[in-house]
């Protein structure tokens, strides 16, 4: 019984939230890693691209909600998501045309592209704050829980409850579908294959008649979809605040680098590694240990390794360790 | 400096003087003083980017560390807090350092294999818990000492000017850690690592109340110049103000700002002189050679990673110095005011608009962009008033647009950076 209670507490406070968070990070890191593979630079504007896509979706959700259109138990945001993806794709294609293409044709050093992406980041950041303001916005609706803690307790008779929020379930299901689609696209379609070829060896790809501009455009569209979905899922799960999305840049980059920049499989693994480390290290283990420890030996303190204010330090430490010991990442990305 | 450069500097001078005539001398001096500090920061970033091509996105973190340096040196020590937990905290920090050094030693001396991994893990985990066991009670004791007024250890009570080099040294230390990790790898990695350290430094300042009072802010950092109230009591000063036809309050605020301006200008000129000499020495030529072609420089026997580390530390130390100057000028440390836009991105815009690789360009950019930063908001407000003048009062859109003026700065600065990078990448005063 004690063991079961400990396991349920662990699942409730660590495993489920970390899995949802990991899925969100993985989707974000996939976007970063795709841009790195095809366009060969670290896109600092990615966090704010996520914020932009989410903002459009939030506005669409509010419009739908005002008209009384909803999805019943599921969040209305899912209906507004295609709009968010479409506008974000237009935005990214527009910035590519106006900003990045010029530098691509000049074949500048990657660091220049990074600086340029920082400029784009601030424009997007300003745009989002200008339109929706810098404050927290909640836009989740529908059923709140798949299983609430009380139902779970009544069902199993345990002391501890296990709550699975709709948004957490939705995040995991969506992430699985999106990742499946992406990998199918990359390995089974002609366009996907040409993207991989372009990423592996640009010169050879050009020689075999692949149109680079088309590959780049398709990459941006996929990235827009990934970023918007990741942003909306994160916003549904927590809340939407432009500055938080800027701060997500660090865990997302950490995830992409841990897995190996340019390697999609690595980005997914990296997302979960970062999320699990962050949640386990900032979780207060008092309750779980209380169930596991023998009578009288239960810990007095919170047994929290780091306060949640330092959660970014966890991503950072992971990043430093990877850079020190294996700069190409766990899955052998292309960057050194 | 060519005639054109001199004209550009003259133009900025006229802008600041114009502010004095049109608005007030107090705001003109405010722009001048912050312009001087910004110019120092821009010099630091220019060393990293302009000389060596290193992309530092963590200027904010180094600036904040510099500010912390000023506080730790200049604030009076809180004796009660020291006796409550000072030794405990210092001991815990020393222990933490020893654990890390020990871990590095273990890693280097033990033979490769599973034993090394497990041993290291056990050592680190045990060290961490021991550290927390020492650290936590000491911190609780310190933070319990009169939390409304102090609740932190305070500083050393030394003159604040001594805090400036200390701030620079703190920033240099952080830069060493980052440089050791991320230099020698892809250029993007340095950017990501510096982004991370900046966020962490700010998180530490906000949360470690025993060190920096966190979000309660440290106020009343001692000054290197006289206080206004003292000047207003001083008979000589009052006589001087009377002769100039100024009322004593305005005269005293202006005098204090002028004193700061003199101090900052001296620092800036000295740094500029050093930077110019460095850039035109064999060392500066080597740096630029490394930046332009790393492979060739390596073939000539230059240790690229070491030189990069050196210039990265130097530049970060200068950012730290500027941070200490700023905290001294504001006489407070407010961790929540450190925003990446203001302390990282703006400095980058200064360097790139001014002219990367040219020290005079960086200084010019520092003044010009700072002037625009201060003046764009009222201008944007006026512009928005014109745009919305046709709309009905109280309409939701009008209210929203007026509220959003503050975010115009982000947009404008981003657009300025992209335009300059695209159409004039060498900046106003190009590298020669």
């Amino acid at each position: 019984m004690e063991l079961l209670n400990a396991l349920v507490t662990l699942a409730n406070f660590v495993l489920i939230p970390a899995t949802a968070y990991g899925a969100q990070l993985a989707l974000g890191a996939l976007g970063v890693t795709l841009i790195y593979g095809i366009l060969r630079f670290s896109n600092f504007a990615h966090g704010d691209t996520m914020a932009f896509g989410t903002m459009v979706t939030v506005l669409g959700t509010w419009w739908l909600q005002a008209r009384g259109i909803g999805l019943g138990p599921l969040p209305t945001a899912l209906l507004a998501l295609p709009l968010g993806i479409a506008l974000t794709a237009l935005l990214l294609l527009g910035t590519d045309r106006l900003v990045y293409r010029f530098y691509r044709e000049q074949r500048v050093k990657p660091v220049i592209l990074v600086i340029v992406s920082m400029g784009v980041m601030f424009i997007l950041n300003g745009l989002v704050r200008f339109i929706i303001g810098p404050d927290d916005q909640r836009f989740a609706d529908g059923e709140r829980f798949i299983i609430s803690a009380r139902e779970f307790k009544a069902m199993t008779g345990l002391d501890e409850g296990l709550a699975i929020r709709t948004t957490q379930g939705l995040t995991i299901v969506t992430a699985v579908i999106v990742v499946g689609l992406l990998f199918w696209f990359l390995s089974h379609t002609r366009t996907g294959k040409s993207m991989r070829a372009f990423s592996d060896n640009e010169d050879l790809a050009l020689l075999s008649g692949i149109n680079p501009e088309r590959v780049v455009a398709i990459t941006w569209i996929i990235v827009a979809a990934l970023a918007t979905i990741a942003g909306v899922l994160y916003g549904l799960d927590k809340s939407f605040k432009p500055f938080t999305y800027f701060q997500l840049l660090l865990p997302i980059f950490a995830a992409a680098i841990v897995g190996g920049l340019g390697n999609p499989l690595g980005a997914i693994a990296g997302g979960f590694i970062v999320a699990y480390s962050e949640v386990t290290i900032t979780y207060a283990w008092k309750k779980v240990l209380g169930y596991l420890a023998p009578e009288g030996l239960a810990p007095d303190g919170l047994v929290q390794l780091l306060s949640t204010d330092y959660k970014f330090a966890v991503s950072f430490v992971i990043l430093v360790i990877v850079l020190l010991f294996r700069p190409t990442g766990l899955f052998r990305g292309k960057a050194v | 400096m060519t005639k054109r450069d001199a004209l550009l500097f003259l133009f900025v001078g006229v802008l600041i003087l114009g502010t004095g005539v049109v608005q007030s001398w107090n705001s003109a001096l405010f722009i001048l003083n912050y312009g001087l500090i910004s110019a120092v920061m821009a010099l630091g970033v220019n060393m990293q980017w302009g000389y060596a091509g290193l992309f530092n996105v963590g200027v904010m973190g180094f600036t904040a560390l510099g500010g912390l340096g000023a506080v730790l040196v200049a604030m009076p020590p809180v004796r009660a807090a020291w006796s409550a937990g000072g030794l405990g905290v210092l001991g815990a920090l020393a222990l933490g350092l020893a654990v890390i050094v020990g871990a590095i030693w273990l890693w280097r001396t033990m033979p490769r294999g599973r034993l090394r991994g497990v041993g290291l893990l056990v050592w680190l985990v045990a060290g961490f818990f021991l550290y927390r066991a020492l650290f936590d009670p000491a911190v609780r004791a310190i933070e319990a000492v009169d939390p409304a007024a102090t609740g932190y250890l305070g500083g050393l009570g030394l003159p604040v000017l001594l805090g400036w080099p200390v701030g620079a040294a703190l920033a240099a230390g952080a830069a060493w850690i980052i440089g050791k990790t991320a230099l020698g790898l892809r250029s993007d990695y340095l950017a990501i690592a510096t982004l991370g350290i900046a966020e962490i430094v700010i998180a530490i300042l906000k949360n470690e109340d025993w060190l920096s009072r966190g979000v309660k802010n440290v106020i009343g950092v001692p000054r290197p110049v006289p206080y206004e109230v003292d000047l207003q009591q001083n008979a000589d000063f009052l006589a001087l103000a009377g002769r100039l036809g100024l009322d004593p309050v305005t005269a005293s605020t202006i005098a204090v700002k002028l004193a700061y301006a003199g101090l900052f200008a001296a620092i800036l000129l000295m740094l500029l002189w050093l930077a110019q000499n460095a850039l035109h020495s064999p060392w500066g030529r080597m740096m630029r050679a490394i930046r332009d072609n790393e492979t060739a420089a390596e073939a000539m026997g230059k240790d690229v990673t070491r030189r990069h580390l050196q210039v990265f530390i130097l530049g970060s130390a200068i950012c730290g110095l500027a941070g200490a100057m700023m905290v001294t000028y504001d006489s407070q440390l407010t961790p929540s005011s450190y925003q990446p836009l203001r302390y990282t991105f703006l400095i980058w815009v200064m360097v790139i608009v001014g002219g990367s690789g040219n020290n005079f360009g960086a200084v010019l950019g520092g003044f010009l962009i700072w002037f625009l930063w201060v003046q764009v908001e009222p201008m944007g407000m006026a512009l928005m008033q014109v745009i919305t003048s046709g709309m009905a009062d109280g309409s939701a859109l009008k209210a929203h647009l007026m509220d959003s003026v503050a975010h115009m700065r982000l947009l404008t600065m981003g657009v300025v950076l992209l335009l300059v990078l695209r159409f004039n990448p060498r900046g106003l005063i190009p590298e020669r």
Side-chain angles (χ1 to χ4, degrees):
Chain A
M1 236 15 182
E2 296 287 89
L3 186 67
L4 275 181
N5 272 325
L7 274 179
V8 167
T9 318
L10 187 70
N12 191 25
F13 291 104
V14 177
L15 296 181
I16 294 173
T19 309
Y21 181 45
Q24 291 148 9
L25 283 186
L27 289 177
L30 270 175
V32 165
T33 231
L34 274 182
I35 294 189
Y36 189 88
I38 307 285
L39 291 126
R40 299 189 161 75
F41 72 97
S42 307
N43 183 13
F44 268 65
H46 198 74
D48 287 292
T49 309
M50 279 165 63
F52 182 86
T54 314
M55 176 195 72
V56 175
T57 312
V58 170
L59 294 176
T61 310
W62 287 347
W63 188 83
L64 289 171
Q65 281 169 346
R67 264 148 206 78
I69 306 170
L71 274 179
L74 292 174
T76 317
L78 286 184
L79 275 181
L81 191 60
L83 176 76
I85 295 177
L87 282 186
T88 314
L90 280 182
L91 174 91
L92 288 184
L93 290 173
T95 44
D96 185 66
R97 172 62 64 88
L98 281 174
V99 184
Y100 295 117
R101 194 162 77 172
F102 172 78
Y103 297 97
R104 200 159 56 238
E105 281 164 1
Q106 306 254 311
R107 294 196 160 261
V108 294
K109 286 193 217 162
V111 70
I112 302 280
L113 280 168
V114 176
I115 295 183
V116 169
S117 78
M118 193 176 71
V120 173
M121 161 173 111
F122 275 93
I123 293 181
L124 287 185
N125 201 320
L127 202 63
V128 170
R129 289 184 195 206
F130 191 79
I131 296 175
I132 205 168
D135 304 320
D136 252 332
Q137 316 282 354
R138 291 203 62 93
F139 60 105
D141 54 3
E143 203 67 51
R144 253 177 78 70
F145 291 102
I146 298 176
I147 305 174
S148 78
R150 196 185 307 153
E151 286 166 13
F152 184 84
K153 281 185 206 166
M155 234 156 49
T156 56
L158 288 173
D159 294 339
E160 289 298 328
L162 177 75
I164 303 181
R165 276 187 284 142
T166 319
T167 52
Q168 291 168 333
L170 191 69
T171 298
I172 295 164
V173 172
T174 318
V176 169
I177 296 174
V178 168
V179 168
L181 275 177
L182 180 70
F183 277 84
W184 174 80
F185 173 79
L186 285 177
S187 54
H188 285 89
T189 63
R190 214 180 146 71
T191 320
K193 283 180 191 161
S194 66
M195 276 173 65
R196 283 192 302 148
F198 191 84
S199 162
D200 280 345
N201 189 330
E202 194 178 338
D203 292 331
L204 264 182
L206 292 178
L207 197 65
S208 56
I210 289 171
N211 177 2
E213 287 305 310
R214 183 160 173 273
V215 167
V216 167
I218 288 172
T219 309
W220 280 120
I221 294 172
I222 295 175
V223 167
L226 287 171
T228 310
I229 293 172
V232 169
L233 291 177
Y234 185 87
L236 283 173
D237 199 14
K238 279 122 188 167
S239 73
F240 172 68
K241 187 180 183 188
F243 190 65
T244 330
Y245 281 64
F246 163 76
Q247 286 187 317
L248 273 181
L249 209 53
L250 187 63
I252 285 179
F253 268 119
I257 291 176
V258 168
L261 267 176
N263 183 330
L265 203 62
I268 296 169
F272 285 102
I273 292 176
V274 169
Y276 277 105
S277 333
E278 207 172 89
V279 176
T280 35
I281 290 178
T282 54
Y283 174 64
W285 289 87
K286 181 183 168 73
K287 217 170 178 182
V288 175
L289 291 179
Y291 281 118
L292 290 181
E295 204 69 31
L297 273 178
D300 301 325
L302 285 172
V303 205
Q304 186 184 20
L305 297 182
L306 266 182
S307 98
T308 43
D309 301 310
Y310 290 122
K311 60 180 184 191
F312 293 112
V314 179
S315 330
F316 182 73
V317 169
I318 294 177
L319 184 72
V320 166
I321 291 172
V322 170
L323 290 187
L324 281 176
F325 295 105
R326 203 175 169 122
T328 47
L330 297 177
F331 287 74
R332 290 270 171 239
K334 51 172 52 186
V336 177
Chain B
M1 240 200 324
T2 63
K3 210 171 178 183
R4 183 169 165 274
D5 304 348
L7 279 176
L8 281 168
F9 272 102
L10 199 67
F11 172 67
V12 174
V14 168
L15 281 181
I16 294 176
L17 284 178
T19 311
V21 174
V22 176
Q23 295 174 349
S24 78
W25 288 106
N26 255 324
S27 32
L29 281 171
F30 169 80
I31 293 179
L32 175 70
N33 282 339
Y34 262 103
L36 286 163
I37 296 174
S38 305
V40 172
M41 284 189 208
L43 267 182
V45 172
N46 184 39
M47 278 186 188
Q48 297 174 338
W49 171 243
Y51 298 9
L54 299 176
F55 187 37
N56 174 2
V57 203
V59 183
M60 169 178 78
F62 299 114
T63 313
L65 274 177
L68 179 67
V71 165
L72 290 186
V73 168
M75 289 305 285
V78 182
R79 306 238 175 254
W82 272 102
S83 53
L87 281 179
V89 161
L90 288 186
L93 290 178
L95 178 83
L97 194 67
V99 168
I100 292 173
V101 171
I104 295 172
W105 182 79
L106 276 179
W107 178 259
R108 292 213 172 128
T109 50
M110 282 177 78
R112 239 173 199 288
R114 187 169 294 167
L115 189 65
R116 178 168 79 164
V118 174
L120 202 66
L121 196 68
V122 169
W123 170 263
L124 282 174
V125 169
F128 181 78
F129 280 102
L130 202 59
Y131 161 78
R132 286 288 297 263
L134 264 175
F135 185 72
D136 290 359
V139 164
R140 265 198 299 278
I142 290 172
E143 287 173 2
V145 177
D146 192 8
T150 55
Y152 77 131
L153 283 177
L156 298 172
L158 296 171
V160 70
L161 286 182
L162 287 177
W164 295 9
V166 172
L170 279 180
W176 181 79
I177 295 174
I178 294 296
K180 268 292 188 193
T181 320
L183 285 172
L185 301 170
R186 265 190 65 96
S187 48
D188 312 27
Y189 284 1
L190 181 71
I192 297 162
T194 46
L195 181 81
I197 193 82
E199 289 293 327
I200 290 167
V201 166
I202 302 302
I204 290 177
L205 288 191
K206 275 186 190 162
N207 294 302
E208 298 302 313
D209 284 16
W210 61 272
L211 181 70
S212 60
R213 294 201 77 215
V215 286
K216 291 182 283 183
N217 305 336
V218 177
I219 50 174
V221 179
R223 284 179 174 182
V225 299
Y227 284 85
E228 286 90 348
V229 272
D230 296 336
L231 283 179
Q232 285 160 25
Q233 308 291 325
N234 186 319
D236 291 341
F237 181 78
L238 289 178
L240 183 70
R243 222 172 318 136
L244 291 171
L246 292 166
D247 76 286
V249 176
T250 321
S252 64
T253 52
I254 288 181
V256 168
K257 286 202 171 82
L258 274 176
Y260 271 119
L263 197 59
F264 292 165
I267 298 263
L268 178 64
L269 287 175
M270 193 189 71
L271 283 176
L272 190 60
W273 180 76
L274 287 173
Q276 270 310 86
N277 278 343
L279 190 60
H280 295 290
S281 67
W283 180 83
R285 281 190 289 276
M286 172 186 68
M287 277 302 170
R288 287 191 283 172
I290 292 178
R291 179 196 62 191
D292 292 339
N293 192 336
E294 281 188 22
T295 324
E298 239 161 20
M300 301 292 289
K302 303 297 176 201
D303 187 344
V304 172
T305 309
R306 256 195 103 71
R307 294 284 82 75
H308 274 171
L309 183 63
Q310 185 186 32
V311 81
F312 183 66
I313 290 176
L314 265 180
S316 301
I318 291 181
C319 291
L321 175 71
M325 288 160 64
M326 198 174 63
V327 163
T328 312
Y329 183 62
D330 293 340
S331 49
Q332 58 181 353
L333 177 71
T334 42
S336 49
S337 72
Y338 286 92
Q339 296 289 334
L341 166 74
R342 159 74 181 83
Y343 290 97
T344 298
F345 186 62
L346 193 66
I347 312 303
W348 270 92
V349 176
M350 288 169 183
V351 172
I352 287 177
V353 169
S356 41
N358 190 318
N359 293 319
F360 289 105
V363 171
L364 177 79
F367 283 110
L368 182 65
I369 297 297
W370 178 253
F371 178 83
L372 290 178
W373 179 254
V374 175
Q375 300 288 12
V376 153
E377 190 152 295
M379 285 181 206
M381 194 64 108
L383 182 71
M384 205 48 94
Q385 249 146 14
V386 174
I387 293 176
T388 54
S389 59
M391 298 178 196
D393 270 331
S395 87
L397 183 62
K398 179 169 183 171
H400 179 82
L401 284 176
M402 293 307 292
D403 285 344
S404 307
V405 173
H407 310 303
M408 287 290 282
R409 278 175 165 180
L410 284 154
L411 265 171
T412 352
M413 287 297 154
V415 170
V416 166
L417 180 81
L418 287 185
L419 286 178
V420 171
L421 268 178
R422 172 81 177 256
F423 297 107
N424 191 11
R426 284 157 61 77
L428 286 172
I429 307 184
E431 183 181 351
R432 312 203 158 79

